Amino acid sequence: MANQLKDQEEILHKLKIQELNAMQKEAISTINSSENTILLSPTGTGKTLAFALPLLNTLDPDLNEVQALILVPSRELAIQIEQVIRSMGSGYKVNAVYGGRPMSKDKIELKHTPAILIGTPGRVSDHFTNDRFSKEFIKTLILDEFDKSLEVGFEYEMRGIINQLNSLTKRILTSATQGVEVSDFVGFTNPVEVNFLGSKKSKLNIKIVVSPSKNKLNTLLHLLNHIGNQQGIIFCNLKDSIHTVSSFLETKNISHGCFSGGMEQKDRERSLIKFRNGTNQILIATDLAARGIDVPEMEYIIHYELPSFKEDFTHRNGRTARVSSKGTAYVLKWKDERLPDFIKNINIEDISKQAERKPVFWETLFISGGRKDKISKGDIAGLFLKQGNLTKDQLGTIELKQDCAFVAVPVTIAKDLVTKLNNTRLKKKKVRVTVI
């Protein structure tokens, strides 16, 4: 136990976390001592770390087999969990597999068997069917955002996967939703519940913005100008609506990104990268962005179109006013639109006062080298500071991937940096540097 605490302290130090929150402390204690745990906590409260820390205690460092399986409903959540566990620097190999990425990449990575495998049910099921690794040593099963998996129709694959796991000794289920029904095939018996869904007093403001016409685009523009330069998500119900809003904002020279299930995986990832590093302050998205993606704290979200169900409304709103911060959810409705029953007694916001929208400061550069080339964030920082002659204030967020990297730099010098740094050497690799 003393070693476990010491290891945990070292990991928290690496992650620059001074202290775990109350939910994480209770979850870790419960998971360590229970076979079956249900962890219920709002989006953005740190559930990944809450199950990842005790998970490390279950792994055998001398065993070169998959020992833990984490099933998730979306590619973005798989990538996010993989990044969190890698950043813990535990020494255990972790890989994420998901649809939309070349199977050849999966096969290469799985040749060196990970101790922890994260994946969407469809892709994991494919690997199971083709016996790409042994299932005999998988003792821990984690179902993250379990309710969402069932909602998007993964039950058939999940049932098939779980029925093949004959060595399980620990199951962990997480959700940001109350009243999750756990299907019999999961094998949950006498689970211990850690429930923090009602524990935080919300600092969320919900405000209604009325559009005089059914076409709400001009009212959306006025609302964005009223809000000013803050980071937020505009939620739409349909991909076509995202296209409509995006095309309109382009005509008004308002920088933004888009995010929906209809986009290529590479484009979705890049959209989130540019949103995280400040190149885009606005993300236009479907409910896919309501949870399970790694984005910073939002100052606001806008319901350009309202969801049909209260649960989706709650998850969207959960993107702002998270943990200890305040936030605002704007409901954009035209004057004759009837609001659903779950939106009641909400004040109308006066958006006549307009803020000044400042030009975007950051631009994102792509570098054609990553971890597999033995390149580190420090190597990239050195390239930009020394050869690019940047000051530390001009070097923004660096995101390092397996085969590439992304760097935020001031938009005013982005093209000059491409001219200076394109086709230079980083470690032993000649890299391309381009604006994305």
Side-chain angles (χ1 to χ4, degrees):
M1 185 57 123
N3 281 340
Q4 286 178 12
L5 288 172
K6 181 174 176 290
D7 292 344
Q8 183 172 298
E9 283 174 15
E10 286 175 3
I11 289 168
L12 294 182
H13 180 71
K14 279 179 196 166
L15 298 175
K16 296 182 172 60
I17 295 172
Q18 289 187 321
E19 189 180 9
L20 295 168
N21 62 37
M23 176 277 289
Q24 290 168 329
K25 288 176 182 175
E26 186 175 328
I28 289 166
S29 172
T30 303
I31 291 167
N32 277 331
S33 59
S34 308
E35 288 183 3
N36 297 317
T37 307
I38 296 181
L39 172 56
L40 304 175
S41 190
T43 299
T45 49
K47 291 193 290 293
T48 302
L49 194 59
F51 66 67
L53 281 168
L55 171 61
L56 297 180
N57 299 334
T58 68
L59 304 177
D60 180 351
D62 299 321
L63 184 61
N64 188 29
E65 300 284 356
V66 178
Q67 300 177 56
L69 177 63
I70 304 174
L71 290 176
V72 296
S74 71
R75 307 162 185 176
E76 283 69 32
L77 187 52
I79 293 164
Q80 180 186 333
I81 294 171
E82 180 186 38
Q83 287 172 343
V84 170
I85 296 177
R86 276 192 175 152
S87 66
M88 292 165 70
S90 66
Y92 289 104
K93 188 171 189 283
V94 55
N95 284 123
V97 296
Y98 43 86
R101 135 186 165 124
M103 184 63 80
S104 57
K105 277 192 171 183
D106 283 7
K107 290 177 181 176
I108 289 166
E109 290 187 351
L110 291 173
K111 278 183 181 176
H112 304 282
T113 315
I116 303 167
L117 183 68
I118 308 153
T120 49
R123 183 55 66 98
V124 170
S125 180
D126 187 292
H127 290 308
F128 269 34
T129 301
N130 288 282
D131 288 322
R132 294 201 174 99
F133 49 83
S134 172
K135 310 169 195 80
E136 184 186 341
F137 302 94
I138 299 174
K139 294 192 174 180
T140 302
L141 173 68
I142 298 171
L143 307 179
D144 198 20
E145 300 286 15
F146 175 68
D147 56 308
K148 196 70 180 172
S149 295
L150 294 183
E151 190 181 299
V152 294
F154 284 133
E155 182 172 350
Y156 177 77
E157 284 100 341
M158 288 174 71
R159 185 187 295 272
I161 291 165
I162 293 169
N163 283 344
Q164 296 179 63
L165 300 177
N166 300 317
S167 305
L168 289 179
T169 58
K170 194 178 284 287
R171 295 169 178 83
I172 303 159
L173 179 153
T174 87
S175 178
T177 302
Q178 191 79 47
V180 181
E181 279 193 33
V182 185
S183 305
D184 290 342
F185 69 80
V186 179
F188 255 48
T189 51
N190 304 318
V192 181
E193 185 178 283
V194 177
N195 190 341
F196 275 73
L197 285 178
S199 64
K200 77 164 186 170
K201 188 179 179 184
S202 177
K203 296 182 180 179
L204 175 71
N205 269 320
I206 303 177
K207 297 177 178 180
I208 289 173
V209 176
V210 179
S211 169
S213 79
K214 197 168 183 178
N215 184 328
K216 300 183 281 189
L217 290 171
N218 280 322
T219 305
L220 173 65
L221 178 63
H222 290 142
L223 174 56
L224 290 173
N225 288 335
H226 171 71
I227 293 166
N229 286 79
Q230 296 181 42
Q231 198 159 33
I233 300 177
I234 300 170
F235 279 106
C236 299
N237 293 340
L238 305 166
K239 288 177 280 187
D240 286 351
S241 306
I242 289 178
H243 178 71
T244 300
V245 174
S246 176
S247 299
F248 175 76
L249 293 186
E250 275 178 22
T251 66
K252 304 300 178 183
N253 294 316
I254 294 179
S255 175
H256 62 276
C258 298
F259 186 81
S260 76
M263 293 167 62
E264 291 289 328
Q265 178 64 22
K266 181 181 81 169
D267 295 330
R268 275 160 58 173
E269 284 184 35
R270 290 187 176 190
S271 194
L272 291 181
I273 286 164
K274 291 172 82 171
F275 189 55
R276 281 195 288 264
N277 69 23
T279 297
N280 292 327
Q281 289 187 311
I282 296 168
L283 189 68
I284 311 167
T286 59
D287 283 328
L288 191 63
R291 51 181 172 164
I293 61 169
D294 182 19
V295 291
E297 181 73 51
M298 301 292 102
E299 280 92 350
Y300 70 94
I301 63 107
I302 296 171
H303 299 276
Y304 180 76
E305 292 172 321
L306 275 169
S308 301
F309 303 104
K310 181 180 179 181
E311 190 177 280
D312 296 322
F313 183 70
T314 302
H315 282 302
R316 287 182 180 185
N317 293 344
R319 277 287 156 207
T320 188
R322 290 157 65 186
V323 193
S324 59
S325 299
K326 295 179 181 179
T328 305
Y330 295 97
V331 175
L332 193 53
K333 69 173 281 275
W334 75 291
K335 61 183 176 59
D336 296 330
E337 186 178 356
R338 185 178 176 275
L339 292 175
D341 291 340
F342 54 79
I343 302 176
K344 291 177 181 173
N345 306 320
I346 296 170
N347 294 329
I348 292 174
E349 176 80 344
D350 176 7
I351 60 170
S352 57
K353 186 178 178 183
Q354 301 281 281
E356 182 188 354
R357 288 196 69 83
K358 296 174 185 173
V360 172
F361 182 79
W362 297 108
E363 183 65 274
T364 303
L365 300 186
F366 166 85
I367 299 173
S368 64
R371 281 193 203 94
K372 71 176 177 55
D373 306 300
K374 305 291 190 259
I375 291 169
S376 69
K377 284 187 180 181
D379 297 326
I380 294 167
L383 177 70
F384 278 79
L385 294 172
K386 291 171 188 172
Q387 288 179 246
N389 297 317
L390 263 65
T391 63
K392 286 188 178 179
D393 290 342
Q394 292 175 310
L395 185 62
T397 304
I398 299 171
E399 288 208 25
L400 183 63
K401 306 292 182 184
Q402 195 66 12
D403 53 6
C404 63
F406 300 88
V407 185
V409 298
V411 68
T412 51
I413 58 172
K415 286 181 180 174
D416 289 341
L417 284 167
V418 169
T419 304
K420 276 183 189 175
L421 301 178
N422 191 32
N423 291 322
T424 53
R425 289 205 171 270
L426 198 50
K427 281 289 179 68
K428 294 179 181 179
K429 184 178 173 69
K430 193 177 185 181
V431 294
R432 284 181 296 108
V433 180
T434 55
V435 175
I436 64 162

